Amino acid sequence: MTGTPNRDPVIALDVMSGEAGAAEAVAAADIAAERYPRLSFLLFGHQPVIAAELERWPRLSARAEVIHSDDVVAMGDKPSQALRRARTTSMGMAIDAVKQGKANAAVSAGNTGALMAMSLFSLRTMPGIDRPALAAVLPTLKSESVMLDLGANTECDATNLVQFAVMGAAFARTVLGLERPKVALLNIGEEELKGTGEIRAAATVLKGARLPMQFLGFVEGDKIGSGDVDVVVTDGFSGNIALKTAEGTSRLVTGLLGNAFRSSIWGKLGYFIARGALESLRAHLDPNAHNGAVFLGLNGIVVKSHGSANARGLANAIGVAHDLITDDVSRRIRDDLAGVNMALATTLEPDAA
């Protein structure tokens, strides 16, 4: 379903996938129902399990329909295996609800590769988009930023990177509320001659295109967390490594701080004094607070939650879907692509694309 809906938005929620289980998924839907009074749900999964959970949440029960599925995509399933079972799984049925126009967005905490394969097969890419990209919001020193691609495409040409920039900027305008987000390509240096031919060619196009963004050129990996760039654009191979490195560094820092505060009586006293600041830091770095990655570029909205997200985290992912629906991010992307296609055609040589 594309375009702004004429009726209240509907979320197709894959209840059974992910590590947290059906109880957390249903609780997350109730949190989202409280936050967004117009939102309603299609809950896909094992009907007796979901019905039992719904008894605890009367508010959600009044705004949810349960659709039974016998099968669940396991976290260890190969995408090709999951794709063959798409019609019978809670994940595949949730995506199909978007295709059929019964829901405005699908949300799942399940297997990322399977979710990508099913979404691409069912919804296809938007006109003017060669490949979809996985985008997510990351914490920075200043606030938050968007990064894409985070693993959907291991190799990308200049055209792909330009399209990712367009989609990422539209996403940032919706989720971060920025009128003209600052966009940069991830590179090994900020100088114009640094990087591969594809990165340099993409930069040339983005400099010349008239788009609702501020293109800053290149950004290095150590500047991602500074908050000076709102949208970081890269191929999926580099983006996934950068994301996992940032997550590992976050755990390293919090672990070292914990060890230091437990190491002596003075450390424990220091923790007592700095407890408020440390709790604020923990909340800022909490993955549940930034949960909800999106497959941009499809003919429909699909949001991926962390597999281990708690109810609050999954509710935040549902919130991302809600914002993308109400702000009609698909229309934003289509409009912006119209402004960049001419620049692509006139700037990129056939062998550079």
Side-chain angles (χ1 to χ4, degrees), residues 171-182:
F171 182 58
R173 299 205 311 275
T174 295
V175 175
L176 303 183
L178 302 172
E179 183 176 350
R180 290 181 58 83
K182 298 186 288 290

Side-chain angles (χ1 to χ4, degrees), residues 258-347:
N259 292 340
F261 286 127
R262 289 189 296 266
S263 63
S264 68
I265 186 64
W266 296 111
K268 294 176 181 178
L269 178 61
Y271 172 76
F272 179 79
I273 295 172
R275 183 168 54 185
L278 291 170
E279 290 300 324
S280 176
L281 173 63
R282 182 180 292 110
H284 188 62
L285 296 178
D286 182 5
N288 286 295
H290 311 280
N291 190 34
V294 183
F295 292 116
L296 294 174
L298 298 173
N299 289 304
I301 297 169
V302 179
V303 176
K304 170 68 174 72
S305 167
H306 281 297
S308 59
N310 59 23
R312 183 173 60 87
L314 183 52
N316 288 337
I318 295 171
V320 170
H322 172 272
D323 291 346
L324 295 176
I325 294 166
T326 55
D327 208 40
D328 200 0
V329 72
S330 297
R331 177 190 56 79
R332 286 180 179 266
I333 292 173
R334 287 195 301 270
D335 291 348
D336 293 352
L337 280 173
V340 80
N341 283 338
M342 184 175 296
L344 278 168
T346 58
T347 305

Side-chain angles (χ1 to χ4, degrees), residues 85-106:
R85 295 159 33 227
R87 293 183 179 180
T88 61
T89 62
S90 55
M91 179 185 291
M93 293 172 67
I95 296 169
D96 188 64
V98 178
K99 179 181 179 181
Q100 299 300 327
K102 298 176 181 177
N104 302 93

Side-chain angles (χ1 to χ4, degrees), residues 26-27 30 43 47-62 64 66:
V26 175
D30 185 72
L43 304 178
Q47 195 275 338
V49 173
I50 299 175
E53 292 297 332
L54 277 175
E55 292 180 359
R56 303 167 52 199
W57 311 107
R59 172 179 48 211
L60 176 63
S61 297
V66 180

Side-chain angles (χ1 to χ4, degrees):
M1 177 181 293
T2 58
T4 303
N6 294 320
R7 54 188 173 86
D8 290 346
V10 179
I11 299 293
L13 181 62
D14 173 15
V15 174
M16 307 309 294
S17 301
E19 302 170 12
E24 289 289 298
V26 175
D30 185 72
I31 294 171
E34 180 181 14
R35 292 176 181 172
Y36 310 104
R38 294 179 53 214
L39 200 61
S40 59
F41 294 86
L42 301 177
L43 304 178
F44 291 87
H46 197 53
Q47 195 275 338
V49 173
I50 299 175
E53 292 297 332
L54 277 175
E55 292 180 359
R56 303 167 52 199
W57 311 107
R59 172 179 48 211
L60 176 63
S61 297
R63 291 157 55 186
E65 177 184 353
V66 180
I67 302 176
H68 180 75
S69 65
D70 291 314
D71 201 0
V72 180
V73 176
M75 297 301 280
D77 285 351
K78 293 181 179 179
S80 58
Q81 296 173 333
L83 191 58
R84 288 193 290 270
R85 295 159 33 227
R87 293 183 179 180
T88 61
T89 62
S90 55
M91 179 185 291
M93 293 172 67
I95 296 169
D96 188 64
V98 178
K99 179 181 179 181
Q100 299 300 327
K102 298 176 181 177
N104 302 93
V107 179
S108 175
N111 182 316
T112 303
L115 186 64
M116 179 71 221
M118 288 184 185
S119 300
L120 182 57
F121 181 81
S122 180
L123 301 175
R124 307 296 181 181
T125 55
M126 297 171 57
I129 296 294
D130 295 336
R131 299 180 185 179
L134 183 61
V137 175
L138 306 178
T140 71
L141 287 174
K142 294 182 178 179
S143 180
E144 294 176 320
S145 66
V146 172
M147 188 170 180
L148 74 167
D149 177 28
L150 296 177
N153 307 278
T154 55
E155 295 182 3
C156 299
D157 61 20
T159 299
N160 299 143
L161 294 173
V162 171
Q163 292 172 357
F164 293 172
V166 170
M167 294 190 294
F171 182 58
R173 299 205 311 275
T174 295
V175 175
L176 303 183
L178 302 172
E179 183 176 350
R180 290 181 58 83
K182 298 186 288 290
V183 179
L185 295 162
L186 184 64
N187 203 351
I188 58 173
E190 297 182 6
E191 300 86 353
E192 291 188 1
L193 296 179
K194 288 288 184 72
T196 64
E198 288 80 8
I199 292 175
R200 297 198 304 272
T204 300
V205 174
L206 291 169
K207 285 178 184 176
R210 296 181 178 179
L211 293 167
M213 68 170 74
Q214 303 174 57
F215 180 63
L216 303 184
F218 302 137
V219 62
E220 294 184 79
D222 64 339
K223 302 290 178 53
I224 294 175
S226 69
D228 294 329
V229 175
D230 301 313
V231 181
V232 179
V233 179
T234 185
D235 61 87
F237 183 85
S238 303
N240 191 267
I241 291 175
L243 174 66
K244 297 297 175 57
T245 301
E247 290 175 343
T249 302
S250 173
R251 289 192 294 270
L252 172 65
V253 170
T254 54
L256 289 174
L257 283 172
N259 292 340
F261 286 127
R262 289 189 296 266
S263 63
S264 68
I265 186 64
W266 296 111
K268 294 176 181 178
L269 178 61
Y271 172 76
F272 179 79
I273 295 172
R275 183 168 54 185
L278 291 170
E279 290 300 324
S280 176
L281 173 63
R282 182 180 292 110
H284 188 62
L285 296 178
D286 182 5
N288 286 295
H290 311 280
N291 190 34
V294 183
F295 292 116
L296 294 174
L298 298 173
N299 289 304
I301 297 169
V302 179
V303 176
K304 170 68 174 72
S305 167
H306 281 297
S308 59
N310 59 23
R312 183 173 60 87
L314 183 52
N316 288 337
I318 295 171
V320 170
H322 172 272
D323 291 346
L324 295 176
I325 294 166
T326 55
D327 208 40
D328 200 0
V329 72
S330 297
R331 177 190 56 79
R332 286 180 179 266
I333 292 173
R334 287 195 301 270
D335 291 348
D336 293 352
L337 280 173
V340 80
N341 283 338
M342 184 175 296
L344 278 168
T346 58
T347 305
L348 295 180
E349 296 296 330
D351 58 351

